[in-house]
Structure formats: structure tokens, C-alpha cells
């Protein structure tokens, strides 16, 4: 896998319009995301949505919030007037249909319409209740497309979450390409083989379960594909840790045991262990492994998405 592959791929991602700098917020402002605009934006095509503007609310406009009446949550102005819950739900369903061809979505955090999680909910009297709501619009997107990698702009400030999200959108893009080419058992096996160490770095039980799924003879290929991608995307949501990355790196190290001299083996072992201890970022042992892979090419490793999951100049593995 080379950088040219990433440069040629077209990835379409949905995004809250305010995160691209569009002045659509209630106060005529925006919340531009530097990462989305200037870094990830070099590799993806965005489709921007602002549900509040789309349903006819003006700019500027009165604030709206989630208000809980008994077990029912509505989206309205703080005094309960101007209920826009139903229009937001309907618009969410409409956009959800458009996201079937997308490989990800970035929502605006804390928004009563677009928040992914921890949205503030209020009582009719204006008292703050638990912050455990989900945006009315974003909820429709996520319900309709549970495989779609979704994140919030605030969470993307976390380097591990940011790397995880980008890795998932590229994985999902590769899956889209497989489906478009026609799913076969052989293609599923090849896809799984290429993602072996990516899955291992997130969740070993999931890696084993996916392998067992592909070994079954009592299920047709379409059902197998649906179960496979669901299991894969769920596994990749789990944050990879230094411990799980270390285990993966050690597995890869084994491929070079017959090619490296004593000093080289010791150096690689020490660097992997220093990564485990938090002394250096993941890119350091990966760089050495890629160096040895150039000297001792192994087709199986060359095809591993773990080594080149997305464009290198995003520098997502430098921070942890």
C-alpha cells in the first residue's frame, strides 16, 4: 500500500456545517475544526449539514435545548415554545438515506440536534438534568447506519480517538470497494487476512471470532458478509492500547526472526519494549519494522493495513 493509493481514493464524509466554518449557529457563529478542514480535509470530500437551518430556523435564532417531559424528550426553546422535534427527526431520516454512500460522519459536540453523546437535558422548569442525551438529528443518522464511523469534533482532540476514527473510515472505504466489486468467500478471506493485525491491535477475541465466522460452512456469503463487517467495525471501535499494540508488534517481529542478526533482533525488541513503557510513540517501532520489511520483503506483511492504515502525513501515530 502506497501514498498514491490514498491520494486517489475518494472518501465522502458527512459533517456538521459549522465545523467547516459555515456561520450557521444560533449566534451567527461557527466552530471550525482545524483537523477536519486542514488535515483530514486534504483526503476527504465533505457533505455539510445543519439540521436547524435545514428545517427553516433563521440565523441568528433563539437557542434550543432538549427538554424532558415525563419520558418524552423534545427540542424547543428554553421556555418550551417552538417545538422542532418532529421536523428534526424527519430531516434526520432524510439525511440518513444519503449517508449510505458515506464512510464517516463528524458531529458537533454538545448540540441538542447534532451531539453524539452527553447532550444536556433540562426539566420543563429549566433545571439541568443528566447530560446523557443524544442529538435528535444525529440519533437518526446513527440508528439508520450503525456501521458508519461517527465522531464529534471535541472527541477528535484526543489523539487516540482521532487515530481510531480515521482508521475506521479507511477500513469502511475498503469495505465499500469490496462490496461494489461483488462479495465472495475468497474476497472475504482476503479482506480479513489484510486486516489481521489491525483487528488484533484492538481486540484479540474479536479477531478470533471473525476468523471462526469465516470458517463456517452453514451460512451463505451474503449473511456472512453482514455478520463479518458488523463484527469488524464493532471491534475497531475499541481503543487500541500500548499493551495491545505491543502484542501486535511482537507478532509481526516474529516474521523477521530468521533474517535479523543478534544486534538487530535486540534493537527491535528494546524499541518495542520502550514503546510499551511509553518512552516513545508507536511510529518508532513501526518505522523500524518497515525498514526491515524493505530489506526482507514479505508479501503477507506488505498487505497488512496495520502498517499503512491511512496517509502517513496525517501523523496520527506520532502522539501516542
Amino acid at each position: 500500500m502506497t501514498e498514491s493509493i490514498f491520494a486517489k481514493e475518494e472518501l465522502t464524509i458527512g459533517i456538521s456545517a459549522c465545523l467547516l466554518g459555515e456561520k450557521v449557529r444560533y449566534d451567527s457563529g461557527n466552530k471550525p475544526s482545524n483537523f477536519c478542514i486542514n488535515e483530514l480535509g486534504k483526503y476527504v470530500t465533505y457533505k455539510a449539514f445543519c439540521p436547524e437551518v435545514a428545517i427553516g430556523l433563521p440565523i441568528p435564532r433563539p437557542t434550543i435545548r432538549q427538554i424532558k417531559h415525563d419520558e418524552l424528550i423534545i427540542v424547543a426553546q428554553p421556555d418550551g415554545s417552538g417545538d422542532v422535534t418532529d421536523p428534526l427527526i424527519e430531516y434526520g431520516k432524510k439525511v440518513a438515506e444519503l449517508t449510505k454512500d458515506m464512510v464517516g460522519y463528524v458531529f458537533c459536540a454538545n448540540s441538542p440536534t447534532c451531539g453524539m453523546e452527553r447532550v444536556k437535558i433540562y426539566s420543563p422548569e429549566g433545571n439541568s438534568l443528566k447530560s446523557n442525551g443524544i442529538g435528535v438529528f444525529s440519533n437518526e443518522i446513527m440508528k439508520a447506519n450503525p456501521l458508519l464511523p461517527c465522531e464529534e469534533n471535541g472527541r477528535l482532540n484526543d489523539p487516540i480517538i482521532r487515530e481510531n476514527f480515521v482508521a475506521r473510515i479507511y477500513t469502511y472505504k475498503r469495505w465499500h470497494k469490496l462490496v461494489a466489486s461483488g462479495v465472495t468467500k475468497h474476497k472475504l478471506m482476503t479482506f480479513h487476512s489484510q486486516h489481521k493485525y489491525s483487528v488484533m491491535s484492538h481486540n484479540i477475541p474479536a479477531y478470533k471470532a471473525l476468523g471462526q465466522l469465516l470458517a463456517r460452512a452453514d451460512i451463505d456469503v451474503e449473511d456472512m458478509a453482514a455478520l463479518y463487517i458488523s463484527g469488524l467495525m464493532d471491534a475497531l471501535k475499541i481503543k487500541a492500547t500500548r499493551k495491545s499494540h505491543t502484542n501486535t508488534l511482537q507478532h509481526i517481529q516474529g516474521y523477521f526472526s530468521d533474517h535479523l542478526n543478534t544486534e538487530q533482533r535486540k534493537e527491535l525488541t528494546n524499541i518495542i519494549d520502550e514503546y510499551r513503557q511509553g518512552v516513545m510513540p508507536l511510529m518508532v517501532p513501526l518505522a523500524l519494522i518497515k525498514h526491515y520489511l524493505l530489506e526482507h520483503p514479505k508479501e503477507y506483511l506488505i498487505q497488512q493495513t496495520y502498517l499503512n492504515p491511512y496517509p502517513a502525513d496525517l501523523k496520527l501515530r506520532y502522539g501516542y
Side-chain angles (χ1 to χ4, degrees):
M1 294 186 182
T2 65
E3 274 319 279
S4 61
I5 294 176
F6 296 124
K8 292 179 181 178
E9 277 193 317
E10 181 180 350
L11 292 89
T12 303
I13 294 179
I15 191 169
S16 294
C18 59
L19 302 182
L20 292 184
E22 296 185 27
K23 296 182 178 181
V24 293
R25 287 174 57 79
Y26 72 96
D27 58 357
S28 302
N30 55 19
K31 298 185 71 173
S33 165
N34 178 66
F35 173 70
C36 290
I37 296 171
N38 298 316
E39 298 179 49
L40 186 58
K42 292 184 293 185
Y43 293 96
V44 306
T45 298
Y46 289 115
K47 287 190 176 181
F49 303 92
C50 177
E52 295 175 25
V53 173
I55 65 170
L57 296 181
I59 305 171
R61 55 186 175 272
T63 59
I64 56 176
R65 59 172 53 167
Q66 292 196 3
I67 303 172
K68 187 173 184 179
H69 292 271
D70 296 323
E71 296 303 314
L72 180 66
I73 293 178
I74 68 168
V75 179
Q77 295 177 32
D79 63 2
S81 64
D83 184 346
V84 290
T85 311
D86 289 342
L88 286 170
I89 290 174
E90 288 307 309
Y91 184 66
K93 293 180 185 297
K94 178 180 178 181
V95 174
E97 288 297 312
L98 303 178
T99 62
K100 289 181 179 179
D101 295 324
M102 297 182 189
V103 295
Y105 206 112
V106 183
F107 295 107
C108 181
N110 304 317
S111 165
T113 57
C114 295
M116 257 182 66
E117 59 182 23
R118 299 191 302 276
V119 173
K120 286 185 178 180
I121 300 176
Y122 295 83
S123 71
E125 296 74 30
N127 299 316
S128 179
L129 304 176
K130 292 182 179 179
S131 296
N132 62 353
I134 301 174
V136 174
F137 170 79
S138 54
N139 188 44
E140 294 301 321
I141 305 296
M142 294 187 290
K143 281 195 308 180
N145 299 285
L147 298 178
L148 187 70
C150 295
E151 266 306 340
E152 292 182 326
N153 59 313
R155 284 169 51 89
L156 288 175
N157 291 324
D158 181 308
I160 296 178
I161 292 176
R162 185 165 60 243
E163 192 274 342
N164 178 281
F165 174 67
V166 175
R168 284 188 290 136
I169 67 173
Y170 273 93
T171 300
Y172 202 38
K173 174 62 179 180
R174 288 189 288 270
W175 179 257
H176 276 203
K177 292 180 69 175
L178 184 154
V179 172
S181 71
V183 178
T184 66
K185 182 68 174 291
H186 175 71
K187 289 180 182 178
L188 280 177
M189 296 292 289
T190 300
F191 188 89
H192 180 62
S193 176
Q194 292 169 344
H195 291 78
K196 170 181 177 178
Y197 289 118
S198 291
V199 183
M200 182 181 290
S201 68
H202 288 267
N203 189 267
I204 291 179
Y207 165 71
K208 293 179 179 178
L210 290 172
Q212 291 168 355
L213 169 66
L214 296 181
R216 290 176 58 179
D218 62 336
I219 184 172
D220 66 52
V221 68
E222 295 297 329
D223 289 339
M224 181 177 288
L227 290 171
Y228 178 83
I229 189 58
S230 178
L232 176 64
M233 298 308 290
D234 282 344
L236 296 182
K237 287 180 184 178
I238 300 170
K239 291 182 183 179
T241 64
R242 284 187 180 271
K243 180 179 179 181
S244 61
H245 274 304
T246 297
N247 177 64
T248 303
L249 293 168
Q250 289 171 337
H251 272 80
I252 294 174
Q253 180 184 17
Y255 283 86
F256 300 103
S257 59
D258 294 333
H259 302 285
L260 306 183
N261 61 40
T262 300
E263 288 302 313
Q264 289 173 324
R265 285 196 295 270
K266 182 177 180 181
E267 178 188 28
L268 182 54
T269 297
N270 289 341
I271 286 178
I272 291 174
D273 192 56
E274 287 180 342
Y275 162 73
R276 179 188 63 80
Q277 297 176 55
V279 175
M280 58 182 59
L282 181 60
M283 274 306 303
V284 177
L286 284 175
L288 186 55
I289 284 173
K290 290 179 183 180
H291 168 72
Y292 288 140
L293 190 56
L294 287 174
E295 291 187 346
H296 311 287
K298 295 183 178 299
E299 189 62 27
Y300 184 72
L301 287 185
I302 292 172
Q303 296 299 317
Q304 289 299 313
T305 61
Y306 179 75
L307 298 178
N308 292 289
Y310 39 68
D313 74 349
L314 286 171
K315 301 177 181 178
L316 298 174
R317 286 172 160 175
Y318 286 72
Y320 73 99

